[in-house]
Structures are given as C-alpha cells and as structure tokens.
Amino acid sequence: METAQLSRKDQIDQTATALFRTRGFAATSMRELAAALGMEAGSIYSHIRSKEELLHRICFRLAEEFFAGFDQASADDALPAAPRLRRAVESHVRVLTTDVAASAVFLHEWRHLSEPARTEFLALRERYEAGFRELIAEGAAAGELYAPDPAFAALTLLASLNWLPSWYRPGGSFTPPDIAHRLANQLLFGLEVRGN
Amino acid sequence: METAQLSRKDQIDQTATALFRTRGFAATSMRELAAALGMEAGSIYSHIRSKEELLHRICFRLAEEFFAGFDQASADDALPAAPRLRRAVESHVRVLTTDVAASAVFLHEWRHLSEPARTEFLALRERYEAGFRELIAEGAAAGELYAPDPAFAALTLLASLNWLPSWYRPGGSFTPPDIAHRLANQLLFGLEVRGN
DNA sequence: CCTACCGATCGGTAGG
DNA sequence: CCTACCGATCGGTAGG
C-alpha cells in the first residue's frame, strides 16, 4: 500500500476506481468499497454525497485529461495534419496508460450516470471524437492521409486505442511510449498515402 | 413487435439481451425484464433457472458463432494468409452486425459470469484471438504482411472491430458488407507490405 | 468514523 | 403464468 500520503477522499476515489473497473459500477456495493478501505459503509458518506458522485468525478476528470492532451498535441499550426494526428494518438495512449483503471471506467461505466450528467458526458465525448475526425479530414484534404471517410477512419482509430485498457498491464513487456509508437505506426501506415 | 412466432424462451433471451446491452447485466433486474415481456417476475422462472443462465447462454452462443465463422474463413489451405485474414475479419464483422446487442453483451458483460463459466469463457476468447494471431504470424513469415509483433497486431485488429457495437446502428448509412470491406481495407492496408 | 437503522429492491420460491 | 412471500442486500441517514 503506497496510499499513505493520499487524502482520505483520494483514497476513496482510487479504490472506487479499481472496484468499478473490475466489477462494474452497478455490481460494486458501498459496503464492498468500505471494506476495501478498512472502514464502515456509513462512514464513506462523510466524504462524499453519493455513489454516483464517485463515478461522475472519474468520468469527467478523464474527459478533461483527454481534452488537455489533445489540445496540446494538435495546437501547433505550423505542423501538417499527419504528424499532429500522430501526436494526438500518442497523447491518447499516454492518458490511457497513465491511468488504466480510470480510463476503463471512463470508457465503459459512463452509461450509469443519470441525467443530465449522462447527456453532458456524451456531448464531451462527441466533441473529442470530432477533434480526431477534423484532423483526419484535414490530412485527407491536404493529400497527406488516405481516408475516403474521415468519420469512419476516426471511429476505427479511436476503437483500436480504446481497447487498450482491456489488455494493457503496467509492467508488461511493452512500455507506454513503446505502445504509443507501435499503435501510431500500425494505424498511420494504414492511413498514409503510399509512394507519394 | 415481430416476435410473434418466437417461443417464450426465445422472447426472454432476446429481451434480456437488449436490456443487458443498454443497462448492463448487474443493473438489469428480473422485474424490469418481466415488465418488458408483459409478465410477472416470478413467471420467468418457469422458463429459466437463474438470471445468470441468461447471460451464460448469450456469451457462449456468440463464442460459437465467432468460432464457426472463423473456421470457415480460415480453412482454405490453398489461399495465402492475407486473404484468409481478410475473410476472417469479414466474418467477425458479419457476426457483430448480425447480432449487435448479443455481441455487445458478449464483449462487455462476460465478467459477471461466475466461476467456472468465467474461466471457460476467457479460455475460448483466448483461443479465438490466437487464431488471428497465427494467421497474422503466418502472413508475416511469408512476407505477405508487415507485422513485427503478430500478438500486438492481432490485439489492435480485434480492437478496431470490437468497438463496432458501440457505434453501429442497423439501418444507418453503412451496410454490414460495406463496413466489413472498409474495416478490412483500413486495417490491412496498414498491414500489407507496400510496393512488394 | 461507528452503531444502528430506514425504506426499497433484489433474485428466487411455494403453492396454486 | 400469477399472487404472495422469503431472506438478503442495497444506498443512504441520524445521532453520537
């Protein structure tokens, strides 16, 4: 346990993230969470208001991290679209690997958010996808990328990346930058115009 | 409702699949399922033994369908590995689009299976992935495909395909064969050796 | 942070 | 296939 210097609230967030990931939000009880933290179920409520607040915080924090990474990666206007897309892919992989458990929750448990949070969340995700779509469309218009349908290409690209939390294990044979590089290569070689 | 000629048990399976997909297995109650079927919760148990039996049947039925499709696609020994891989990709997409709801449950809800079913299921999935891995390795060894790490390539490939149920809607602008073709192209152009 | 508890809901069964 | 019910567990609160 290296959680010694975390605040109690951060400990709760972290433990909840791990449980929501492995057992799912709905199947995780507050009593289970409490037991994992070495306390009683009722005591958790002096730190949080509801179970859903935990999920809400995880989902929206990750959304912010994905956006921050993307904005930084795609901001450089001097760069062509293809290398900016590569940087955006690497940023996405960095967020995924830095916080695998939270990413898995972000990707799979958001549907347990109640309204209006759920609709807000989906709007954020759509905006994020649109960023990739536009980058790909820009690269296609400039002849840098081969993508007859940028929307389709963006979905497939993000799909390949988002499956990562389901097999990635920290400390495995691939390091995060290694994974980012390999994924970007595998995906972009399929997008780049050949022999041009 | 076109479920008129389905047996009551098939109606239960079908409705359960739809609910497990949209709300998740754990968050779906038997009373909800009963209401969707126009009956009382207790009455369902004259057709099934338990809630988990429903999940079990969905997961293992889909596993069979994926295997049957793969075996047929990859069986032709006269064909090089690359076109057999393309056929396997198309088969995978066919299963996914033919039965989107069940596929989504197969992909995301299997972890709610209790032992030993859960371990059995994971073994099946691993065997399926191995099929793709070996096809890619074979193609790489023959110089047909560019895949420095077949295991990594197989994971990325299946990832791109498996995200499909999260955005595919029957009756959208893409037909299933269209999707299969585009996905195979986008993925294989990234794998094929260029200018060879 | 704990004890003790609330009303609601869960999966499942008995008996008809 | 329904009515009526079982014990267990749920998220959350009051009072200290």
mmCIF file with all atom_site columns, all heavy atoms in Angstrom, chain B residues 165-176:
data_model
loop_
_atom_site.group_PDB
_atom_site.id
_atom_site.type_symbol
_atom_site.label_atom_id
_atom_site.label_alt_id
_atom_site.label_comp_id
_atom_site.label_asym_id
_atom_site.label_entity_id
_atom_site.label_seq_id
_atom_site.pdbx_PDB_ins_code
_atom_site.Cartn_x
_atom_site.Cartn_y
_atom_site.Cartn_z
_atom_site.occupancy
_atom_site.B_iso_or_equiv
_atom_site.pdbx_formal_charge
_atom_site.auth_seq_id
_atom_site.auth_comp_id
_atom_site.auth_asym_id
_atom_site.auth_atom_id
_atom_site.pdbx_PDB_model_num
ATOM 1  N N   . PRO B 1 165 ? -19.903 -2.489 -32.114 1.00 0.00 ? 165 PRO B N   1
ATOM 2  C CA  . PRO B 1 165 ? -21.229 -2.466 -31.498 1.00 0.00 ? 165 PRO B CA  1
ATOM 3  C C   . PRO B 1 165 ? -21.535 -1.184 -30.741 1.00 0.00 ? 165 PRO B C   1
ATOM 4  O O   . PRO B 1 165 ? -22.691 -0.889 -30.463 1.00 0.00 ? 165 PRO B O   1
ATOM 5  C CB  . PRO B 1 165 ? -21.200 -3.667 -30.526 1.00 0.00 ? 165 PRO B CB  1
ATOM 6  C CG  . PRO B 1 165 ? -20.194 -4.580 -31.093 1.00 0.00 ? 165 PRO B CG  1
ATOM 7  C CD  . PRO B 1 165 ? -19.146 -3.701 -31.695 1.00 0.00 ? 165 PRO B CD  1
ATOM 8  N N   . SER B 1 166 ? -20.504 -0.406 -30.412 1.00 0.00 ? 166 SER B N   1
ATOM 9  C CA  . SER B 1 166 ? -20.770 0.818  -29.655 1.00 0.00 ? 166 SER B CA  1
ATOM 10 C C   . SER B 1 166 ? -21.182 1.974  -30.555 1.00 0.00 ? 166 SER B C   1
ATOM 11 O O   . SER B 1 166 ? -21.648 2.999  -30.063 1.00 0.00 ? 166 SER B O   1
ATOM 12 C CB  . SER B 1 166 ? -19.550 1.187  -28.807 1.00 0.00 ? 166 SER B CB  1
ATOM 13 O OG  . SER B 1 166 ? -18.517 1.653  -29.628 1.00 0.00 ? 166 SER B OG  1
ATOM 14 N N   . TRP B 1 167 ? -21.018 1.832  -31.852 1.00 0.00 ? 167 TRP B N   1
ATOM 15 C CA  . TRP B 1 167 ? -21.487 2.922  -32.715 1.00 0.00 ? 167 TRP B CA  1
ATOM 16 C C   . TRP B 1 167 ? -22.379 2.441  -33.853 1.00 0.00 ? 167 TRP B C   1
ATOM 17 O O   . TRP B 1 167 ? -23.123 3.217  -34.430 1.00 0.00 ? 167 TRP B O   1
ATOM 18 C CB  . TRP B 1 167 ? -20.314 3.732  -33.279 1.00 0.00 ? 167 TRP B CB  1
ATOM 19 C CG  . TRP B 1 167 ? -19.313 2.944  -34.086 1.00 0.00 ? 167 TRP B CG  1
ATOM 20 C CD1 . TRP B 1 167 ? -18.138 2.412  -33.634 1.00 0.00 ? 167 TRP B CD1 1
ATOM 21 C CD2 . TRP B 1 167 ? -19.390 2.600  -35.466 1.00 0.00 ? 167 TRP B CD2 1
ATOM 22 N NE1 . TRP B 1 167 ? -17.490 1.755  -34.641 1.00 0.00 ? 167 TRP B NE1 1
ATOM 23 C CE2 . TRP B 1 167 ? -18.220 1.862  -35.783 1.00 0.00 ? 167 TRP B CE2 1
ATOM 24 C CE3 . TRP B 1 167 ? -20.313 2.840  -36.481 1.00 0.00 ? 167 TRP B CE3 1
ATOM 25 C CZ2 . TRP B 1 167 ? -17.971 1.364  -37.061 1.00 0.00 ? 167 TRP B CZ2 1
ATOM 26 C CZ3 . TRP B 1 167 ? -20.063 2.343  -37.760 1.00 0.00 ? 167 TRP B CZ3 1
ATOM 27 C CH2 . TRP B 1 167 ? -18.900 1.618  -38.030 1.00 0.00 ? 167 TRP B CH2 1
ATOM 28 N N   . TYR B 1 168 ? -22.321 1.153  -34.183 1.00 0.00 ? 168 TYR B N   1
ATOM 29 C CA  . TYR B 1 168 ? -23.122 0.655  -35.302 1.00 0.00 ? 168 TYR B CA  1
ATOM 30 C C   . TYR B 1 168 ? -24.612 0.655  -34.981 1.00 0.00 ? 168 TYR B C   1
ATOM 31 O O   . TYR B 1 168 ? -25.029 0.207  -33.918 1.00 0.00 ? 168 TYR B O   1
ATOM 32 C CB  . TYR B 1 168 ? -22.690 -0.759 -35.666 1.00 0.00 ? 168 TYR B CB  1
ATOM 33 C CG  . TYR B 1 168 ? -23.584 -1.411 -36.700 1.00 0.00 ? 168 TYR B CG  1
ATOM 34 C CD1 . TYR B 1 168 ? -23.575 -0.989 -38.019 1.00 0.00 ? 168 TYR B CD1 1
ATOM 35 C CD2 . TYR B 1 168 ? -24.441 -2.435 -36.336 1.00 0.00 ? 168 TYR B CD2 1
ATOM 36 C CE1 . TYR B 1 168 ? -24.393 -1.573 -38.961 1.00 0.00 ? 168 TYR B CE1 1
ATOM 37 C CE2 . TYR B 1 168 ? -25.267 -3.039 -37.273 1.00 0.00 ? 168 TYR B CE2 1
ATOM 38 C CZ  . TYR B 1 168 ? -25.238 -2.597 -38.585 1.00 0.00 ? 168 TYR B CZ  1
ATOM 39 O OH  . TYR B 1 168 ? -26.057 -3.177 -39.508 1.00 0.00 ? 168 TYR B OH  1
ATOM 40 N N   . ARG B 1 169 ? -25.393 1.185  -35.893 1.00 0.00 ? 169 ARG B N   1
ATOM 41 C CA  . ARG B 1 169 ? -26.845 1.111  -35.767 1.00 0.00 ? 169 ARG B CA  1
ATOM 42 C C   . ARG B 1 169 ? -27.407 0.531  -37.056 1.00 0.00 ? 169 ARG B C   1
ATOM 43 O O   . ARG B 1 169 ? -27.149 1.088  -38.131 1.00 0.00 ? 169 ARG B O   1
ATOM 44 C CB  . ARG B 1 169 ? -27.462 2.496  -35.547 1.00 0.00 ? 169 ARG B CB  1
ATOM 45 C CG  . ARG B 1 169 ? -27.128 3.159  -34.227 1.00 0.00 ? 169 ARG B CG  1
ATOM 46 C CD  . ARG B 1 169 ? -27.780 2.449  -33.040 1.00 0.00 ? 169 ARG B CD  1
ATOM 47 N NE  . ARG B 1 169 ? -27.295 2.975  -31.763 1.00 0.00 ? 169 ARG B NE  1
ATOM 48 C CZ  . ARG B 1 169 ? -26.165 2.612  -31.159 1.00 0.00 ? 169 ARG B CZ  1
ATOM 49 N NH1 . ARG B 1 169 ? -25.388 1.697  -31.722 1.00 0.00 ? 169 ARG B NH1 1
ATOM 50 N NH2 . ARG B 1 169 ? -25.806 3.136  -30.011 1.00 0.00 ? 169 ARG B NH2 1
ATOM 51 N N   . PRO B 1 170 ? -28.138 -0.567 -36.962 1.00 0.00 ? 170 PRO B N   1
ATOM 52 C CA  . PRO B 1 170 ? -28.727 -1.151 -38.179 1.00 0.00 ? 170 PRO B CA  1
ATOM 53 C C   . PRO B 1 170 ? -29.563 -0.098 -38.907 1.00 0.00 ? 170 PRO B C   1
ATOM 54 O O   . PRO B 1 170 ? -30.243 0.700  -38.282 1.00 0.00 ? 170 PRO B O   1
ATOM 55 C CB  . PRO B 1 170 ? -29.621 -2.270 -37.631 1.00 0.00 ? 170 PRO B CB  1
ATOM 56 C CG  . PRO B 1 170 ? -29.047 -2.595 -36.292 1.00 0.00 ? 170 PRO B CG  1
ATOM 57 C CD  . PRO B 1 170 ? -28.494 -1.308 -35.758 1.00 0.00 ? 170 PRO B CD  1
ATOM 58 N N   . GLY B 1 171 ? -29.464 -0.097 -40.203 1.00 0.00 ? 171 GLY B N   1
ATOM 59 C CA  . GLY B 1 171 ? -30.226 0.867  -40.977 1.00 0.00 ? 171 GLY B CA  1
ATOM 60 C C   . GLY B 1 171 ? -29.524 2.196  -41.149 1.00 0.00 ? 171 GLY B C   1
ATOM 61 O O   . GLY B 1 171 ? -30.080 3.134  -41.699 1.00 0.00 ? 171 GLY B O   1
ATOM 62 N N   . GLY B 1 172 ? -28.285 2.310  -40.655 1.00 0.00 ? 172 GLY B N   1
ATOM 63 C CA  . GLY B 1 172 ? -27.521 3.537  -40.848 1.00 0.00 ? 172 GLY B CA  1
ATOM 64 C C   . GLY B 1 172 ? -27.001 3.652  -42.276 1.00 0.00 ? 172 GLY B C   1
ATOM 65 O O   . GLY B 1 172 ? -27.415 2.905  -43.159 1.00 0.00 ? 172 GLY B O   1
ATOM 66 N N   . SER B 1 173 ? -26.066 4.568  -42.489 1.00 0.00 ? 173 SER B N   1
ATOM 67 C CA  . SER B 1 173 ? -25.617 4.829  -43.853 1.00 0.00 ? 173 SER B CA  1
ATOM 68 C C   . SER B 1 173 ? -24.667 3.739  -44.357 1.00 0.00 ? 173 SER B C   1
ATOM 69 O O   . SER B 1 173 ? -24.435 3.632  -45.554 1.00 0.00 ? 173 SER B O   1
ATOM 70 C CB  . SER B 1 173 ? -24.939 6.203  -43.934 1.00 0.00 ? 173 SER B CB  1
ATOM 71 O OG  . SER B 1 173 ? -23.907 6.285  -42.981 1.00 0.00 ? 173 SER B OG  1
ATOM 72 N N   . PHE B 1 174 ? -24.124 2.923  -43.453 1.00 0.00 ? 174 PHE B N   1
ATOM 73 C CA  . PHE B 1 174 ? -23.261 1.830  -43.879 1.00 0.00 ? 174 PHE B CA  1
ATOM 74 C C   . PHE B 1 174 ? -23.999 0.501  -43.792 1.00 0.00 ? 174 PHE B C   1
ATOM 75 O O   . PHE B 1 174 ? -24.639 0.209  -42.787 1.00 0.00 ? 174 PHE B O   1
ATOM 76 C CB  . PHE B 1 174 ? -22.022 1.729  -42.986 1.00 0.00 ? 174 PHE B CB  1
ATOM 77 C CG  . PHE B 1 174 ? -21.154 2.956  -43.005 1.00 0.00 ? 174 PHE B CG  1
ATOM 78 C CD1 . PHE B 1 174 ? -20.837 3.620  -41.840 1.00 0.00 ? 174 PHE B CD1 1
ATOM 79 C CD2 . PHE B 1 174 ? -20.654 3.447  -44.210 1.00 0.00 ? 174 PHE B CD2 1
ATOM 80 C CE1 . PHE B 1 174 ? -20.024 4.751  -41.867 1.00 0.00 ? 174 PHE B CE1 1
ATOM 81 C CE2 . PHE B 1 174 ? -19.844 4.580  -44.239 1.00 0.00 ? 174 PHE B CE2 1
ATOM 82 C CZ  . PHE B 1 174 ? -19.537 5.233  -43.060 1.00 0.00 ? 174 PHE B CZ  1
ATOM 83 N N   . THR B 1 175 ? -23.895 -0.309 -44.836 1.00 0.00 ? 175 THR B N   1
ATOM 84 C CA  . THR B 1 175 ? -24.419 -1.671 -44.747 1.00 0.00 ? 175 THR B CA  1
ATOM 85 C C   . THR B 1 175 ? -23.331 -2.557 -44.139 1.00 0.00 ? 175 THR B C   1
ATOM 86 O O   . THR B 1 175 ? -22.143 -2.243 -44.247 1.00 0.00 ? 175 THR B O   1
ATOM 87 C CB  . THR B 1 175 ? -24.790 -2.214 -46.135 1.00 0.00 ? 175 THR B CB  1
ATOM 88 O OG1 . THR B 1 175 ? -23.589 -2.348 -46.896 1.00 0.00 ? 175 THR B OG1 1
ATOM 89 C CG2 . THR B 1 175 ? -25.737 -1.266 -46.858 1.00 0.00 ? 175 THR B CG2 1
ATOM 90 N N   . PRO B 1 176 ? -23.721 -3.667 -43.544 1.00 0.00 ? 176 PRO B N   1
ATOM 91 C CA  . PRO B 1 176 ? -22.733 -4.563 -42.941 1.00 0.00 ? 176 PRO B CA  1
ATOM 92 C C   . PRO B 1 176 ? -21.607 -4.987 -43.884 1.00 0.00 ? 176 PRO B C   1
ATOM 93 O O   . PRO B 1 176 ? -20.440 -4.903 -43.507 1.00 0.00 ? 176 PRO B O   1
ATOM 94 C CB  . PRO B 1 176 ? -23.575 -5.749 -42.482 1.00 0.00 ? 176 PRO B CB  1
ATOM 95 C CG  . PRO B 1 176 ? -24.892 -5.148 -42.160 1.00 0.00 ? 176 PRO B CG  1
ATOM 96 C CD  . PRO B 1 176 ? -25.094 -4.066 -43.184 1.00 0.00 ? 176 PRO B CD  1
#
